[in-house]
Amino acid sequence: MKKQKLIIIGGDAAGMSAASKVRREDTEIEIIVFEKSEYTSYSACGIPYFISGKVSTSEELIIRTPEQFKKKYNIDARILHEVVEVDTDQNRVLVKNSLEKTQFWESYDKLLIATGGKAYCPDVENRAADGIFGVSTLRSGIKINEFIENSKPKNAVIVGGGYIGLEMAEALLIKGLKVSLINRSEEIMNTLDSDMGKTIREAMEKLGVTMYLKEELKHFEVKNNTVSAVVTDKQKIKADIVILGMGTSPNTAFLKNSKIALSEKGAVKVSRTQRTNIRNVWSAGDCAETFHLVSKKSFYVSLGTVANKTGVVAGKNILGQKTTFPGVVGTGVCKICSYEVARTGLLEKEAKSLGIDYITATIESKTRAHYYPDAKDICVKLIAERKTGKLLGGQIIGEEGAAKRIDVLAVALTNKLTLQNIIDLDLSYAPPFSPVWDPVQIAARKLIGNQ
Amino acid sequence: MKKQKLIIIGGDAAGMSAASKVRREDTEIEIIVFEKSEYTSYSACGIPYFISGKVSTSEELIIRTPEQFKKKYNIDARILHEVVEVDTDQNRVLVKNSLEKTQFWESYDKLLIATGGKAYCPDVENRAADGIFGVSTLRSGIKINEFIENSKPKNAVIVGGGYIGLEMAEALLIKGLKVSLINRSEEIMNTLDSDMGKTIREAMEKLGVTMYLKEELKHFEVKNNTVSAVVTDKQKIKADIVILGMGTSPNTAFLKNSKIALSEKGAVKVSRTQRTNIRNVWSAGDCAETFHLVSKKSFYVSLGTVANKTGVVAGKNILGQKTTFPGVVGTGVCKICSYEVARTGLLEKEAKSLGIDYITATIESKTRAHYYPDAKDICVKLIAERKTGKLLGGQIIGEEGAAKRIDVLAVALTNKLTLQNIIDLDLSYAPPFSPVWDPVQIAARKLIGNQ
């Protein structure tokens, strides 16, 4: 029997999770990974810390090199190979070798698309200028660092006040740059409700970030093909370096002419087995859609956790095992200055837009017993369905020890717990860790009183 | 209609939670609380930190005074009043006023028994000597402090290597005492499996605690009615102060001649509504039994969280609301030196003794991304049912940021999650908080591989 061939497009979290899973259970199948950049399997989430200097070398962010994949797993990961076309009728992909400037067709029996995402930027004037960076690949992180070292920019403008924008704002402050941030909506962190985002904005302002709210990027001005200013609908802001923090969009441009179905946002449509509309083609990670267990809708999210999990599920299904990825509840966490910020499930504004009749409560508590040294502030907001008391979502802002409590709410959402169920949970307590009622339970108690 | 009268015996967590709940929804009922000590509503769990000096005054441990209960809730909390007999035929209790040395009967319509627990000590010679202390009431904490100040003990012996024994060992080390600990079984922390307890023992030995394992308390020696040595089955250990850390037993001696049913261990037997075998008598907190949701057996545990929760449930049922306390999954957490220690569900040894066919795996990971500064060690052990993969229990040892992850496993147990369910959970990830796969998921992935 002819040896089967699996081609994987993209050599980071989803692709390499799938590749490793397949190899562990099938020593025969040929596995070829085409990766556009120079790197496989790295932590893109670590880039802000590499820029700030908290992580000293980019190598520390690399989990496994192509050589290690070859040696340990017999996986043929070819870097600097970009797939530019997929032909599902003939089961082949067109590959551009950017080192040798060659191009060739490679056939497959099974195909996994795991090309990840890239920093979104609207199609404005000069968007391709030097000094404008997204933060979605290790290569971009290294380039930012080189640019800072070589061009010594003084003024940084961050476009967008989400996780990445804020992490990068802090990193560039640490590097000694003057940092401004423009944000389209009236409050930063639109991954939270605006009452929660305010705390973070004020902390960042205190740290020295100049915030421009309700301002929209119009275009960039350049000098010698390098960015010199960000022009908004209200003003022109001097910029020697620009970081794009307006979210991530799936890397699927090369699929436009293929028969693989994409969502409106360009994400690959997949079933719960991570299979696309084509029988022998799967997709996983930041280039694919996922399912939101609370809103019960298809959902696009760009997260390392989801990439790893969907990669493994794709791998299992490629092996012929019938498994599914149930979906996500929309959990996210981020550290900004001394603040920890987390959310899961639906925000209040999301519940509202879905037409759900909800109740909400916000409480202030402490991360430890009130009398224990270094008890830090924590603020918890919960949203629940009015009629049933079923949890819909939670948001946490606080200092050290606050954010990871979101995980209790994430498990609660997955299991459709009510506020009373949350109050009844046997959560751990000792004075160095929590008040007797954990802050998430204090919030549930307050909210159940509102019912 | 005659005003109803609720009598509550015991003015700490369970009793006062019930009292407050009842008062919030019934402004008419008369509420009298008889409390043996001088204090109401305090954090007994904070005592080791009061002894070590981390908490500077005993007042910081008090949540509400009798005056505050009177003023804010119209609850008549009478301190230094000990109930010595309960007569359920005539609906009355015999009360000893230890200040005025008087005794009187008080009638009730409804009765709540919330007398808590006390440090267990076998009935050995000289157990009532000065210098021997349990750590279950604020009064005992204050007395320990006074004894240390006045008698300046040099040698401390801790009897028992559980949470309280270890917390007190650390506290007394901080106070400058020479500390020995005797432990009956072959490893300390029998709330964990012995492979996990070893780490903590070694850390405490490094800190300077002398450990005597597999040694049993035989009796105490005294000089001038003050303890001078602890005699074990193997040796005599010089002791100027002794701390009892052999667990807690319910304060129910005064019920021995009543019609209220007690368990073999002396805990008040209650239904899920916290009602005793007598129609108008409830019980909650450390004096009552609870239900273990994993072993499906009645269970005695002494914990502030359970006291608060069962107190509220008792209060609701006293109000005539039909609510139940589902039970606990056996969650506990503790900080010893720089180590955080947590457990939930069944230990391996407990699963074994219940005759369950289980699998187990232990992993070492980090509390943050491996490259992020200050990533600390974390060790997770999971136990699952072999056939179904259903989680049975988890244990965590690690440094800062490790222990609270036990809560995810506690919610998982409550909801009967399998290892695959745990792997699928949408837990929060960012480099300052976790590896991409949270350590509890890494453990689940390893264990599912063992299935």
Side-chain angles (χ1 to χ4, degrees):
Chain A
M1 201 181 112
K2 197 181 141 274
K3 211 165 152 181
Q4 288 269 303
K5 192 201 285 181
L6 166 64
I7 285 184
I8 297 176
I9 316 176
D12 197 12
M16 298 322 274
S17 292
S20 307
K21 180 72 200 170
V22 171
R23 176 55 77 223
R24 264 193 295 270
E25 306 198 18
D26 183 342
T27 53
E28 287 300 310
I29 190 168
E30 185 181 358
I31 305 177
I32 302 175
V33 180
F34 293 120
E35 165 57 41
K36 190 172 138 179
S37 79
E38 302 95 316
Y39 308 100
T40 54
S41 206
Y42 56 84
S43 172
C45 312
I47 293 169
Y49 312 106
F50 166 57
I51 305 294
S52 72
K54 277 194 182 182
V55 175
S56 48
T57 67
S58 61
E59 282 76 27
E60 291 178 55
L61 300 183
I62 296 172
I63 300 153
R64 261 187 217 103
T65 61
E67 294 71 34
Q68 290 169 323
F69 278 112
K70 186 74 200 165
K71 207 174 152 188
K72 190 165 174 197
Y73 292 103
N74 186 26
I75 292 168
D76 181 9
R78 303 187 196 170
I79 55 169
L80 297 167
H81 282 65
E82 182 181 0
V83 170
V84 292
E85 203 181 318
V86 173
D87 173 358
T88 54
D89 289 333
Q90 295 193 60
N91 292 327
R92 58 180 194 162
V93 295
L94 183 60
V95 189
K96 212 168 76 183
N97 177 336
S98 60
L99 199 62
E100 298 174 7
K101 315 275 179 217
T102 55
Q103 195 159 290
F104 58 92
W105 285 101
E106 184 84 31
S107 68
Y108 61 81
D109 299 297
K110 292 171 176 179
L111 177 68
L112 173 65
I113 298 162
T115 42
K118 62 171 186 293
Y120 167 76
C121 187
D123 190 15
V124 298
E125 194 181 340
N126 294 318
R127 62 176 270 193
D130 284 350
I132 302 174
F133 298 98
V135 196
S136 51
T137 62
L138 185 54
R139 190 193 181 84
S140 62
I142 292 170
K143 280 192 165 178
I144 292 171
N145 237 15
E146 286 172 359
F147 185 84
I148 293 174
E149 263 176 42
N150 299 335
S151 306
K152 312 230 178 314
K154 287 192 176 63
N155 301 289
V157 177
I158 315 284
V159 186
Y163 292 165
I164 290 174
L166 294 173
E167 285 172 356
M168 285 302 295
E170 192 182 354
L172 294 176
L173 271 185
I174 292 170
K175 284 294 246 195
L177 279 77
K178 190 174 164 294
V179 180
S180 305
L181 188 150
I182 68 167
N183 190 67
R184 199 167 59 164
S185 53
E186 61 184 337
E187 192 49 90
I188 61 161
M189 282 229 130
N190 72 1
T191 49
L192 300 186
D193 284 323
S194 56
D195 48 346
M196 307 290 280
K198 186 168 172 276
T199 310
I200 304 303
R201 177 174 48 77
E202 288 172 353
M204 294 227 73
E205 285 173 342
K206 225 170 171 176
L207 216 68
V209 176
T210 308
M211 296 278 182
Y212 298 107
L213 303 179
K214 295 179 89 171
E215 280 198 45
E216 199 163 347
L217 169 67
K218 284 294 162 191
H219 62 271
F220 301 105
E221 286 192 359
V222 297
K223 261 184 208 153
N224 307 324
N225 201 35
T226 300
V227 69
S228 63
V230 174
V231 179
T232 73
D233 50 351
K234 291 189 183 157
Q235 62 175 324
K236 182 160 94 177
I237 307 165
K238 193 167 161 36
D240 308 314
I241 183 170
V242 169
I243 304 292
L244 302 173
M246 290 171 285
T248 303
S249 58
N251 268 329
T252 53
F254 71 106
L255 297 173
K256 288 273 157 66
N257 300 319
S258 77
K259 290 190 174 165
I260 294 166
L262 303 180
S263 76
E264 216 173 292
K265 288 190 174 170
V268 180
K269 288 191 171 194
V270 289
S271 69
R272 303 280 179 99
T273 62
Q274 301 301 135
R275 223 202 64 186
T276 69
N277 60 316
I278 308 291
R279 193 188 49 82
N280 58 340
V281 182
W282 289 262
S283 183
D286 291 1
C287 62
E289 270 195 328
T290 187
F291 184 77
H292 197 297
L293 289 165
V294 184
S295 73
K296 307 271 177 211
K297 289 183 192 303
S298 288
F299 177 60
Y300 178 70
V301 66
S302 148
L303 276 175
T305 48
V306 180
N308 274 279
K309 286 174 195 159
T310 55
V312 172
V313 171
K316 286 183 175 181
N317 282 286
I318 288 166
L319 285 161
Q321 299 168 10
K322 296 265 173 277
T323 45
T324 55
F325 180 66
V328 300
V329 290
T331 310
V333 68
C334 175
K335 189 163 187 287
I336 301 295
C337 317
S338 66
Y339 281 99
E340 301 185 356
V341 183
R343 57 87 38 101
T344 189
L346 303 180
L347 303 178
E348 188 178 349
K349 59 189 173 192
E350 290 167 340
K352 198 177 283 179
S353 78
L354 287 165
I356 298 171
D357 187 15
Y358 67 88
I359 49 176
T360 174
T362 303
I363 61 102
E364 311 268 347
S365 181
K366 292 283 176 185
T367 54
R368 311 173 191 265
H370 67 278
Y371 53 78
Y372 194 88
D374 284 328
K376 305 286 189 190
D377 288 331
I378 176 171
C379 168
V380 181
K381 177 175 183 174
L382 293 185
I383 296 128
E385 195 177 45
R386 185 187 303 273
K387 196 176 156 192
T388 61
K390 214 172 69 181
L391 185 70
L392 293 170
Q395 295 161 64
I396 295 176
I397 294 185
E399 294 185 85
E400 183 257 313
K404 256 294 187 181
R405 290 165 205 260
I406 203 74
D407 287 347
V408 165
L409 300 176
V411 190
L413 283 170
T414 308
N415 292 281
K416 302 184 171 55
L417 300 198
T418 64
L419 296 169
Q420 185 61 51
N421 294 151
I422 292 169
I423 293 167
D424 288 340
L425 287 172
D426 190 14
L427 303 182
S428 58
Y429 158 66
F433 300 101
S434 175
V436 178
W437 292 96
D438 191 277
V440 302
Q441 294 179 310
I442 296 174
R445 293 183 79 195
K446 180 170 180 197
L447 187 48
I448 213 169
N450 292 358
Q451 240 184 320
Chain B
M1 201 182 114
K2 196 180 142 275
K3 210 164 151 179
Q4 288 269 304
K5 191 201 286 181
L6 166 64
I7 285 184
I8 297 177
I9 315 177
D12 197 11
M16 298 323 273
S17 291
S20 306
K21 180 73 201 168
V22 171
R23 175 56 77 224
R24 264 194 294 269
E25 306 199 17
D26 183 342
T27 54
E28 287 300 309
I29 191 169
E30 185 180 358
I31 306 177
I32 302 175
V33 180
F34 293 120
E35 165 58 41
K36 189 170 137 179
S37 80
E38 302 94 317
Y39 307 100
T40 54
S41 205
Y42 56 85
S43 171
C45 311
I47 293 170
Y49 312 106
F50 166 58
I51 305 293
S52 72
K54 276 194 183 182
V55 174
S56 49
T57 67
S58 62
E59 282 74 27
E60 290 178 55
L61 300 182
I62 296 173
I63 298 153
R64 261 187 215 104
T65 61
E67 294 71 33
Q68 290 168 322
F69 278 111
K70 185 74 198 166
K71 206 174 154 190
K72 190 164 176 201
Y73 291 104
N74 187 25
I75 291 168
D76 181 8
R78 304 188 194 169
I79 56 168
L80 298 168
H81 281 65
E82 180 181 4
V83 170
V84 292
E85 203 181 317
V86 172
D87 174 359
T88 54
D89 290 332
Q90 295 195 57
N91 291 327
R92 59 182 193 161
V93 295
L94 182 60
V95 189
K96 212 169 77 181
N97 177 335
S98 60
L99 198 63
E100 297 173 5
K101 314 276 180 214
T102 55
Q103 195 158 293
F104 59 93
W105 286 101
E106 183 84 30
S107 67
Y108 61 80
D109 298 297
K110 291 170 177 180
L111 178 67
L112 173 65
I113 298 163
T115 43
K118 61 171 185 292
Y120 167 77
C121 186
D123 190 15
V124 298
E125 194 182 338
N126 295 318
R127 60 175 272 191
D130 285 350
I132 303 175
F133 299 97
V135 196
S136 51
T137 62
L138 186 53
R139 189 190 182 86
S140 63
I142 291 170
K143 281 191 163 181
I144 293 170
N145 239 12
E146 286 173 358
F147 185 84
I148 293 173
E149 263 176 42
N150 299 335
S151 307
K152 312 230 178 314
K154 288 193 177 60
N155 302 289
V157 177
I158 315 283
V159 186
Y163 292 166
I164 290 176
L166 293 174
E167 286 172 355
M168 285 301 296
E170 192 183 353
L172 294 176
L173 271 185
I174 292 171
K175 284 295 248 194
L177 280 79
K178 187 173 166 295
V179 181
S180 305
L181 187 150
I182 69 167
N183 190 67
R184 202 166 60 163
S185 53
E186 63 185 334
E187 193 49 88
I188 62 161
M189 282 228 131
N190 72 1
T191 48
L192 300 185
D193 284 323
S194 56
D195 48 346
M196 306 290 279
K198 187 168 171 277
T199 311
I200 303 303
R201 177 174 48 77
E202 289 172 354
M204 294 227 74
E205 285 172 341
K206 225 170 169 176
L207 217 68
V209 176
T210 308
M211 295 278 182
Y212 299 107
L213 304 179
K214 294 179 87 172
E215 280 199 44
E216 199 163 345
L217 169 68
K218 284 296 164 189
H219 63 269
F220 301 106
E221 285 192 2
V222 297
K223 262 184 204 154
N224 307 325
N225 200 34
T226 300
V227 70
S228 63
V230 174
V231 179
T232 73
D233 51 350
K234 290 186 183 160
Q235 62 175 322
K236 182 159 95 178
I237 307 164
K238 194 167 159 38
D240 309 314
I241 184 171
V242 169
I243 304 291
L244 303 172
M246 291 171 284
T248 303
S249 58
N251 268 329
T252 52
F254 71 106
L255 297 174
K256 288 274 157 65
N257 300 320
S258 77
K259 291 188 175 167
I260 294 165
L262 303 180
S263 77
E264 217 174 291
K265 287 189 175 170
V268 181
K269 288 191 171 192
V270 289
S271 69
R272 302 282 179 98
T273 61
Q274 300 301 134
R275 223 200 66 183
T276 70
N277 60 315
I278 308 291
R279 191 188 50 81
N280 58 340
V281 182
W282 289 261
S283 184
D286 291 1
C287 61
E289 270 193 330
T290 187
F291 185 77
H292 197 298
L293 289 164
V294 184
S295 73
K296 307 270 177 212
K297 289 182 191 306
S298 289
F299 178 61
Y300 178 69
V301 66
S302 148
L303 276 176
T305 47
V306 180
N308 273 278
K309 285 173 194 159
T310 55
V312 172
V313 171
K316 286 182 174 180
N317 282 286
I318 288 166
L319 285 161
Q321 298 167 9
K322 296 266 173 275
T323 45
T324 56
F325 180 67
V328 300
V329 290
T331 311
V333 68
C334 173
K335 187 162 190 285
I336 302 294
C337 316
S338 65
Y339 281 99
E340 301 184 356
V341 183
R343 58 83 43 94
T344 190
L346 303 180
L347 303 178
E348 187 177 351
K349 59 188 174 192
E350 290 167 339
K352 198 176 282 179
S353 78
L354 287 165
I356 298 171
D357 187 15
Y358 67 88
I359 48 175
T360 175
T362 302
I363 61 102
E364 311 269 346
S365 180
K366 294 282 177 187
T367 54
R368 311 172 192 264
H370 67 279
Y371 53 79
Y372 194 88
D374 284 328
K376 305 288 189 188
D377 287 331
I378 177 171
C379 168
V380 181
K381 176 174 183 174
L382 292 186
I383 296 127
E385 195 176 47
R386 185 186 304 275
K387 196 177 155 192
T388 60
K390 214 172 69 179
L391 185 71
L392 292 170
Q395 294 161 65
I396 296 176
I397 294 185
E399 294 184 85
E400 183 258 313
K404 256 293 188 181
R405 290 164 205 260
I406 203 75
D407 287 348
V408 165
L409 300 176
V411 190
L413 282 170
T414 308
N415 292 282
K416 302 184 172 54
L417 300 199
T418 64
L419 296 169
Q420 185 59 53
N421 294 151
I422 291 169
I423 292 167
D424 288 340
L425 287 172
D426 190 15
L427 302 183
S428 58
Y429 158 66
F433 300 102
S434 176
V436 179
W437 292 96
D438 190 277
V440 302
Q441 294 179 310
I442 296 174
R445 295 182 78 195
K446 180 169 180 196
L447 188 48
I448 214 168
N450 293 357
Q451 240 184 320

